Amino acid sequence: MNRLFLPEHAAVEQSLRGLALAHPHLIRLHQQPLYITARHRHAARRVGLVSGGGSGHEPLHCGFVGQGMLDAAVPGRVFASPHNRQVYEASRAAAGPDGVLHIVKNYTGDRINFRIAAERLRADGIAVRRVLVDDDIATDSAETATGRRGTAATVTVEKLLGAAADQGTRLDDLAALGTHIASASRSIAVAARAQTAPFRGGEAFQLTDGTLEYGVGIHGERAASTEADTGFEPLVDRMTQQVLAALPPDTARVLVLVGGLGATTLLELYAVYTQVCARLAEDGVDVAGRLVGTFAPALDMSGFSLSLTAMHDTWIDLWNSPTRTPAFPVTEFPR
Amino acid sequence: MNRLFLPEHAAVEQSLRGLALAHPHLIRLHQQPLYITARHRHAARRVGLVSGGGSGHEPLHCGFVGQGMLDAAVPGRVFASPHNRQVYEASRAAAGPDGVLHIVKNYTGDRINFRIAAERLRADGIAVRRVLVDDDIATDSAETATGRRGTAATVTVEKLLGAAADQGTRLDDLAALGTHIASASRSIAVAARAQTAPFRGGEAFQLTDGTLEYGVGIHGERAASTEADTGFEPLVDRMTQQVLAALPPDTARVLVLVGGLGATTLLELYAVYTQVCARLAEDGVDVAGRLVGTFAPALDMSGFSLSLTAMHDTWIDLWNSPTRTPAFPVTEFPR
C-alpha cells in the first residue's frame, strides 16, 4: 500500500519553507498567514497577480511566483481552499498601483475565499478583479450548477497574464484578457490509478484492471463513467478531438499543454504530445506553443491531462517571453 | 493494478519525437540510430559532451541536451543500455576540435557499449575520454566487483561539465574535472512503492505496508534490506548523515540534489529539502547550490534520492551559469 512520505498537514508549511530556501533570489515565504511573494516586480507592472488554491498540485501555484508570472500565491491544505485571510494578506502585499487581479480555479471554496478577500481589499481602497478558470470539459454539463472545474489551463492563464502585466497592462484590460484566455482554454484528464489518499494511505479510489477514469478531476473526483482502456492512440485522439471541439469553431492555432497528474512519466507525456501533434496536423490546426510536464497534478495520480488554448496572434509573444520562477521551464529561444 | 500508458518499446522513439517537436530550437532528433543532438554549440566549446543510458529516467539524459549542458545524448530502451552504434554516431556528430567526453553511469552494459564506441572513435582519429559516475553508496561494498551504481549525481556532473566546456576547457582537463566532481558526489535513495513493471504492469516488486526500501536502485534494484519506516525526520536525517559521511572529511559546503524517483510529489521533495538543510546546518555544512525535482527517476517509483557534492569554490559559478535545455530549470539569478 503506497503512502506519502509526509502525510500530515504540516507538510505544506515544511514544503514551502523548502521552496523558499531553494529559491531565495526569486521568492519570499510569509508565515501567519502562509503565502509566497515574488522578490522582484517588473518596473512596468501596474497590477499584482495573485493566485492560489489547495495544495497537492505542485508546482501550481507557488512554483509560478516570480518574474513574468505571479506576484503572490496562497496555498491551502492538501486539496482544500486557502483561508480568505491568506488571500487578503497576500493581495495587500502584492498589490500594484492599479490593484490586484485574482486568478481563481473554479471550485466553490476557492471562489468564496477569494470573494471575501476581495471585499475586504475593496474596503481598504484596493481595486480587485477576478479571472475564473473553468477549463475542464468533463464537468461541462447544463445540469451542474457550479460549472466546469478549473484545472491545468490555469498555468497557461498565469503565464500569459504575467507577461501582459509586465507590459504595463491596466487592471480592467488584464482582467478582460484573462477571461478571454480562460474562455479559449479547455481540458480533459484521464487516470489509470488514483492518487494516494494523504492520511490513510493506499489509493484514494480503486480502478479495475484494464479500465481508465476518463474525465477525472485533479482532486481525484471520479469521472461520470469508468471506461475500458482501448489503447493509447485512440485515447489521445479522442481527448484531442473532444477538447478541440470545445474551442471556438474557427480555431486555427493552439497552445498545447500535456500535463502529468503526478506519477505519469515524461517518457509517456512526450509520447502523448507526439500523438496530439499528429492528430492536430490531420485537423489542420497549428501548434503555436506547448508545455509538456507535470505542472498541476493530483498528488501522485497516474494519468495525464490535455489542455488546448485557441491562440490569439498577440498571445504568442506573451507565451515566449522569459520567466524567472521556481518551476516554469526555460521558454526563451536560444540567444 | 497500475500500468504505463505506453508499455511497448516504441514508446522511447515516440517520446523522443515529442521531445524534439516540443523543443525545436534547442535539440534535433536523429533516427537510425536513435540519438539527440544540440542545435547550438558555444563558440568556445572544444569538446563534445555525450551521455546516455537506458530510458525510464527522463528527463535524464536527452532532456539535458542543449546550451550549457550536453551536445548529444543516447537513449537505450527502458532500463537497457544504448547500442554502441548509437554512442558512436552521436559522438561523431557531437565531437569538437578536442574530441569527445563520455559521461557514463556505472552499469556494465553502459560501460561496455561506451567503450566499444570509444574504440571505434579512436580508430577514426577522434580523441575520447570518459567520466564514470558512481555515486550510489547503497552499492558501496568491497564485495561488489562492479562498484557503486551511477544515479542522480549524473545530473550534477552534466551541468558542471557543460559550463566548463563552454569556457573552452580542453579534453584532458574536462575529464579530470568530471572525475573530480564524480568522486566528490554521493547519493542514497529510498522507495515506498516500486515502479510499474513496463510490460506486465503492476508493481515491479512488492513492499509490505510500513516498510521502506532503503538503498533502492533507479531500475528497481532491491536494497540489501527492507526496513521498517521510522518516520520522515529520522529517515531524512539518516540519509543526510550517511551521504555526508561518504564525502571527503573536510567538506564545508555542498550542492544538494533532492531527486524524485517518479511518483513522489514536489510537495514532499521540498519538505525533504527543508529537512536536509536543517540537518546540514546542525553539522555546520553550507549549501552552495541545490536542485529539487524529478531529474533521474526510476519510471514512476514512489521514493526519492539525496545526492550531495562536496563543492570546490570554482564549481559554484559553473553551477549558476545559464542553460538552455528542455529540462534543466532556470538557474540564473534575477537580471
Side-chain angles (χ1 to χ4, degrees):
Chain A
M1 184 180 85
N2 196 51
R3 67 199 179 292
L4 303 178
F5 285 93
L6 249 183
E8 69 273 22
H9 277 313
V12 174
E13 190 170 339
Q14 176 153 5
S15 184
L16 287 179
R17 284 212 308 274
L19 189 75
L21 274 171
H23 305 283
H25 299 274
L26 300 176
I27 59 169
R28 181 181 284 124
L29 174 68
H30 302 257
Q31 291 171 295
Q32 298 174 335
L34 196 63
Y35 62 92
I36 295 273
T37 55
R39 288 264 178 200
H40 299 272
R41 179 199 293 268
H42 195 291
R45 191 176 278 221
R46 303 188 56 81
V47 176
L49 291 182
V50 179
S51 192
S55 293
H57 310 301
E58 290 70 25
L60 194 72
H61 299 266
C62 293
F64 300 131
V65 174
Q67 295 173 75
M69 290 188 78
L70 301 176
D71 294 288
V74 184
R77 293 181 167 193
V78 172
F79 293 171
S81 172
H83 193 279
N84 60 74
R85 187 172 153 241
Q86 292 173 270
V87 180
Y88 169 75
E89 295 287 356
S91 299
R92 281 192 64 92
D98 267 21
V100 178
L101 184 64
H102 287 165
I103 303 170
V104 183
K105 302 198 297 304
N106 188 25
Y107 297 100
T108 303
D110 290 345
R111 290 177 68 153
I112 291 172
N113 281 292
F114 275 86
R115 179 176 54 70
I116 295 170
E119 287 167 6
R120 291 188 61 193
L121 291 162
R122 286 189 192 107
D124 292 349
I126 297 173
V128 186
R129 296 291 301 271
R130 167 192 286 188
V131 172
L132 196 70
V133 185
D134 59 348
D135 51 314
D136 185 357
I137 61 173
T139 44
D140 195 350
S141 163
E143 296 164 29
T144 314
T146 51
R148 289 180 303 269
R149 295 182 293 236
T151 61
T154 313
V155 180
T156 306
V157 173
E158 292 177 358
K159 171 67 182 81
L160 294 175
L161 286 184
D166 282 353
Q167 296 177 349
T169 306
R170 298 252 172 191
L171 178 59
D172 287 348
D173 294 335
L174 212 53
L177 174 63
T179 300
H180 190 180
I181 297 164
S183 72
S185 300
R186 292 292 179 267
S187 302
I188 188 82
V190 63
R193 180 183 65 201
Q195 78 281 7
T196 301
F199 296 96
R200 62 177 170 80
E203 297 172 20
F205 60 85
Q206 292 293 325
L207 283 176
T208 310
D209 285 359
T211 65
L212 293 175
E213 199 74 2
Y214 188 90
V216 73
I218 59 171
H219 310 93
E221 301 96 327
R222 301 294 299 260
S225 65
T226 303
E227 305 184 3
D229 181 5
T230 57
F232 180 78
E233 288 191 16
L235 172 66
V236 178
D237 284 355
R238 175 186 176 195
M239 294 170 76
T240 309
Q241 292 193 288
Q242 277 203 327
V243 178
L244 201 53
L247 297 185
D250 58 342
T251 298
R253 53 168 55 167
V254 293
L255 182 84
V256 179
L257 198 171
V258 175
L261 291 179
T264 292
T265 62
L266 270 181
L267 186 73
E268 294 163 280
L269 297 179
Y270 276 110
V272 170
Y273 180 68
T274 301
Q275 187 65 27
V276 170
C277 287
R279 182 71 251 172
L280 290 173
E282 280 181 34
D283 288 340
V285 176
D286 289 340
V287 176
R290 78 289 296 166
L291 198 57
V292 182
T294 299
F295 301 105
L299 284 173
D300 61 349
M301 181 182 281
S302 174
F304 62 92
S305 62
L306 173 66
S307 305
L308 298 178
T309 299
M311 283 292 267
H312 196 280
D313 284 352
T314 57
W315 300 352
I316 296 174
D317 283 348
L318 298 178
W319 180 255
N320 289 324
S321 68
T323 61
R324 295 268 177 275
T325 74
F328 201 81
V330 172
T331 49
E332 292 164 277
F333 292 172
R335 290 180 298 205
Chain B
M1 185 180 85
N2 197 49
R3 64 200 182 291
L4 302 178
F5 285 92
L6 250 183
E8 70 273 21
H9 277 315
V12 173
E13 191 171 337
Q14 176 154 4
S15 184
L16 288 179
R17 285 212 307 276
L19 189 75
L21 274 171
H23 306 283
H25 299 274
L26 299 176
I27 59 168
R28 181 181 283 123
L29 174 68
H30 302 257
Q31 292 172 293
Q32 299 175 333
L34 196 63
Y35 61 92
I36 295 273
T37 55
R39 288 265 178 199
H40 300 272
R41 180 199 294 269
H42 195 291
R45 194 178 275 223
R46 302 188 56 81
V47 176
L49 291 183
V50 179
S51 191
S55 293
H57 309 300
E58 290 69 24
L60 194 72
H61 299 269
C62 293
F64 300 131
V65 174
Q67 295 173 76
M69 290 188 78
L70 301 176
D71 294 288
V74 184
R77 291 181 169 193
V78 172
F79 292 171
S81 172
H83 192 279
N84 60 74
R85 188 174 152 242
Q86 291 172 271
V87 179
Y88 170 75
E89 296 286 357
S91 299
R92 281 191 65 92
D98 268 19
V100 178
L101 184 64
H102 287 166
I103 302 170
V104 182
K105 299 195 299 303
N106 188 27
Y107 298 100
T108 304
D110 290 345
R111 292 178 67 153
I112 291 172
N113 280 292
F114 275 86
R115 180 176 53 71
I116 295 170
E119 286 167 7
R120 291 188 59 194
L121 291 161
R122 287 189 192 106
D124 291 350
I126 296 173
V128 186
R129 297 288 302 272
R130 167 191 287 187
V131 172
L132 197 70
V133 184
D134 59 348
D135 50 316
D136 186 356
I137 60 173
T139 46
D140 196 351
S141 162
E143 296 164 29
T144 314
T146 51
R148 288 179 303 269
R149 297 182 292 236
T151 60
T154 313
V155 180
T156 306
V157 172
E158 292 177 357
K159 171 67 183 83
L160 295 175
L161 285 184
D166 282 353
Q167 295 178 348
T169 307
R170 300 255 171 188
L171 179 58
D172 287 348
D173 294 335
L174 213 52
L177 174 62
T179 300
H180 190 180
I181 297 164
S183 73
S185 301
R186 292 293 180 265
S187 302
I188 188 80
V190 64
R193 180 182 65 201
Q195 79 281 6
T196 301
F199 296 97
R200 62 175 170 84
E203 296 172 21
F205 60 85
Q206 292 293 327
L207 283 178
T208 310
D209 285 359
T211 65
L212 292 175
E213 200 73 2
Y214 188 91
V216 73
I218 59 170
H219 310 93
E221 301 97 326
R222 300 295 300 260
S225 66
T226 302
E227 305 184 3
D229 182 3
T230 56
F232 180 78
E233 287 191 17
L235 172 65
V236 178
D237 284 354
R238 175 185 176 194
M239 294 170 76
T240 309
Q241 291 193 288
Q242 277 203 327
V243 177
L244 200 55
L247 297 185
D250 57 344
T251 297
R253 52 168 55 166
V254 294
L255 183 83
V256 178
L257 199 171
V258 175
L261 291 177
T264 293
T265 62
L266 272 181
L267 186 73
E268 294 163 281
L269 298 178
Y270 276 109
V272 171
Y273 180 67
T274 301
Q275 187 64 26
V276 170
C277 287
R279 181 72 250 171
L280 290 173
E282 280 181 34
D283 288 341
V285 176
D286 289 339
V287 176
R290 78 288 298 166
L291 198 57
V292 181
T294 299
F295 301 105
L299 284 172
D300 61 350
M301 181 182 282
S302 174
F304 62 92
S305 61
L306 173 66
S307 305
L308 298 177
T309 298
M311 284 292 266
H312 195 278
D313 284 351
T314 58
W315 300 353
I316 295 174
D317 283 348
L318 299 177
W319 181 255
N320 289 324
S321 68
T323 61
R324 294 270 177 275
T325 74
F328 200 81
V330 172
T331 49
E332 293 163 276
F333 291 175
R335 291 181 296 205

